[in-house]
Amino acid sequence: MEDPGPLFARAAALATEFRRDIATAKQRPTHNYAAAVPDWEGPTPEAGQPAEAVLEELVARAAPGLHAMTGPRFFGWVIGGSHPAGVAADWMTSAWGQNVGNHQAAPAASAAELVSGQWLVDILGLPAGSSVGFVTGATMANLVGLAAGRSEVLRRVGWDVEADGLFGAPPIRMVVGEDVHVSALSALQFLGLGHSRVIKVATDGEGRMIPDGLVAALEGGEGPAIVMLQAGQINTGACDPFPELIPIARAHGAWVHVDGAFGLWAKAAPGRAALAAGVEDADSWATDGHKWLQSPYDTGFAIVRDPEAHRRAMAFGASYLPAVAAGERDPTHYVPELSRRARGFATWALLRHFGRAGIAEMVERNCRVAGQIAAALREEPGIAVVNAVALNQVILRFGPERNAEEADRLTLATVSRLQSDGIAFAGASQWRGQWLMRVSVSSYATTEADGRMTAGAIRAAWRTVRGSNT
Ligand SMILES: *Cc1c(COP(=O)(O)O)cnc(C)c1O
């Protein structure tokens, strides 16, 4: 076997260079997609190339189209910063090449998932003994949690959905809030529950489900029901009022699933935990590692209070798989896949590196910076802070309140100006039919100084747009 030393060392050097420069780099790619495709195009390779040459070529071709997602002033889409402690563990994960399908094949990887899953449940304040499936992200975590719910509510009426599917099954009432995340609806689409065949409950100004609406939705029918709630609305960052909603769902025998992709992490910060109070009373939760835990892509967690329901929904019994003895745990029984990346290593490394205190500090700091940006911009004429900034999300609107069309235009112009300036990155989003700039503060790398720079950059972008408008 050839010595991989020089190749690996070169990769480490190139990665180091990239990350060292990220704070001062433009917080946007040089090439957009249309420009990036020609960067990669070429004839199908016929003869091979040495791996070191391929690495150099890969990095050169990628460079212009890389977004500074790991930078300190990247605020698009709610994205974590891929913390170096996780990246290094992820390199080991790739080097070790473990297939974490079962615990006999991959004892260390399976054990790392077991233990880091338990730590995660503890840090998020969820019920001890909940099972954790390591998936690619919150979309798949929603799918797993909802599959467990689907299994359990149908089992209670004597239907085996794993064996018999949904053909002829008692219908499930699927209840969501008006401001549910689109990816949670796609989980419904995969599960045969339908993204449109849902009962939508009205929400308040921050996107929180209104309890009376949930009462009406559940009283208006009968039979098995699943209620999907939310911790962290994608625009406002708001959490549903769990202490009011969960007892209502329970009284109607519904399974409660929570999409907590980033908002569930409020529970890890004592100063913010009240925002997600009561979320621990649900039946299942979806959250991301690659958002607030800063895991390298891709990592999400499907957490289920009743491990039996979780396992029933996900396990399969192919004869070549070693049987699971009592007390043993095969990671594959809690996720849709068989062969799978060992995500437990990076999760373990990040939890070990931050500790409970480090996660609390990071979540709290991100929320504080969000508040700081909102406070600074509220002072500026023509900028409106649209949400109550309680967590990490800030939504901004630019221009005259009374002229929606003009404000839409000015808002989009300000977003594009900010992006081309490249000091900070935020994207555009729609909320209640209006265009907004959305600033999602969710990176370990973001400090108060970045908050000041970002508020300054947004203010400057707005002043330029306003100036060229008059
Ligand atoms: C990001 C997000 C998702 C989707 O998560 P992925 O990790 O991208 O699959 C779902 N719901 C909410 C609220 C999110 O913020």
Side-chain angles (χ1 to χ4, degrees):
M1 266 167 72
E2 220 176 297
D3 173 17
L7 176 67
F8 284 4
R10 184 67 187 136
L14 288 164
T16 304
E17 203 177 300
F18 176 77
R19 293 297 287 263
R20 203 174 269 152
D21 294 344
I22 201 78
T24 49
K26 289 265 188 220
Q27 304 288 298
R28 62 162 164 75
T30 310
H31 285 178
N32 64 10
Y33 175 65
V37 171
D39 292 341
W40 291 90
E41 270 170 343
T44 306
E46 301 296 342
Q49 295 286 327
E52 283 181 63
V54 171
L55 176 67
E56 299 296 339
E57 189 185 334
L58 173 84
V59 170
R61 286 181 191 269
L66 293 176
H67 224 316
M69 290 180 176
T70 55
R73 292 178 305 284
F74 183 88
F75 303 110
W77 301 283
V78 198
I79 276 176
S82 286
H83 189 284
V87 173
D90 201 52
W91 286 348
M92 298 313 300
T93 304
S94 290
W96 288 330
Q98 300 293 293
N99 180 335
V100 69
N102 72 72
H103 69 272
Q104 290 179 359
S110 303
E113 282 197 8
L114 174 71
V115 172
S116 57
Q118 288 166 348
W119 287 354
L120 187 74
V121 163
D122 184 17
I123 284 171
L124 294 175
L126 299 177
S130 297
S131 48
V132 183
F134 285 58
V135 291
T136 50
T139 304
M140 287 311 284
N142 279 326
L143 179 125
V144 171
L146 290 164
R150 184 183 70 163
S151 176
E152 178 61 17
V153 298
L154 288 177
R155 188 197 62 80
R156 288 182 200 152
V157 293
W159 190 268
D160 180 350
V161 69
E162 282 74 38
D164 299 324
L166 287 172
F167 304 98
I172 295 174
R173 294 176 293 155
M174 185 65 227
V175 182
V176 302
E178 284 281 358
D179 295 301
V180 60
H181 194 276
V182 288
S183 89
L185 292 177
S186 78
L188 297 179
Q189 149 187 345
F190 306 147
L191 286 168
L193 297 172
H195 61 67
S196 294
R197 189 197 152 281
V198 290
I199 305 168
K200 281 200 174 174
V201 176
T203 49
D204 68 11
E206 294 289 315
R208 290 176 294 226
M209 190 184 281
I210 296 171
D212 285 347
L214 181 60
V215 172
L218 289 170
E219 281 179 353
E222 54 186 27
I226 299 173
V227 176
M228 176 155 53
L229 304 179
Q230 186 164 250
Q233 207 285 330
I234 190 67
N235 285 307
T236 65
C239 297
D240 280 326
F242 304 111
E244 293 173 76
L245 295 172
I246 294 178
I248 296 167
R250 287 252 177 277
H252 290 85
W255 177 280
V256 181
H257 173 76
V258 177
D259 176 4
F262 63 96
L264 204 55
W265 293 86
K267 292 268 289 170
R272 308 283 163 171
L275 295 169
V279 72
E280 64 278 4
D281 292 330
D283 295 295
S284 57
W285 305 264
T287 196
D288 268 314
H290 54 229
K291 288 178 182 172
W292 245 338
L293 185 57
Q294 316 294 319
S295 308
Y297 280 87
D298 41 19
T299 306
F301 309 106
I303 308 170
V304 183
R305 175 190 295 274
D306 173 4
E308 271 312 301
H310 191 169
R311 204 177 134 84
R312 197 169 56 235
M314 289 294 133
F316 56 92
S319 54
Y320 61 87
L321 287 172
V324 185
E328 291 187 334
R329 176 190 186 277
D330 267 332
T332 191
H333 291 155
Y334 300 88
V335 297
E337 304 91 345
L338 176 56
S339 295
R340 204 164 44 88
R341 183 170 188 75
R343 299 189 183 91
F345 291 134
T347 302
W348 183 90
L350 285 163
L351 293 173
R352 189 84 181 81
H353 172 69
F354 285 121
R356 197 192 297 271
I359 292 172
E361 184 279 328
M362 171 173 56
V363 170
E364 180 57 39
R365 170 163 40 86
N366 283 171
C367 296
R368 202 164 59 237
V369 170
Q372 172 200 356
I373 292 170
L377 294 175
R378 234 180 240 119
E379 304 294 311
E380 176 72 13
I383 302 184
V385 178
V386 176
N387 63 323
V389 180
L391 202 64
N392 64 319
Q393 303 288 93
V394 184
I395 45 178
L396 302 164
R397 191 153 161 86
F398 301 82
E401 233 172 280
R402 283 153 201 284
N403 185 342
E405 223 169 278
E406 181 71 350
D408 273 349
R409 195 180 66 75
L410 292 171
T411 298
L412 291 174
T414 306
V415 168
S416 109
R417 180 75 214 189
L418 177 77
Q419 292 181 356
S420 70
D421 288 345
I423 294 165
F425 182 91
S429 177
Q430 277 206 311
W431 175 244
R432 303 284 147 93
Q434 301 192 323
W435 281 106
L436 302 159
M437 176 189 287
R438 186 174 69 206
V439 182
S440 303
V441 188
S442 51
S443 173
Y444 77 94
T446 305
T447 63
E448 271 86 356
D450 294 305
R452 276 190 296 280
M453 271 177 85
T454 299
I458 294 173
R459 193 186 300 116
W462 163 235
R463 285 181 183 175
T464 305
V465 166
R466 192 183 47 186
S468 61
N469 194 53
T470 49

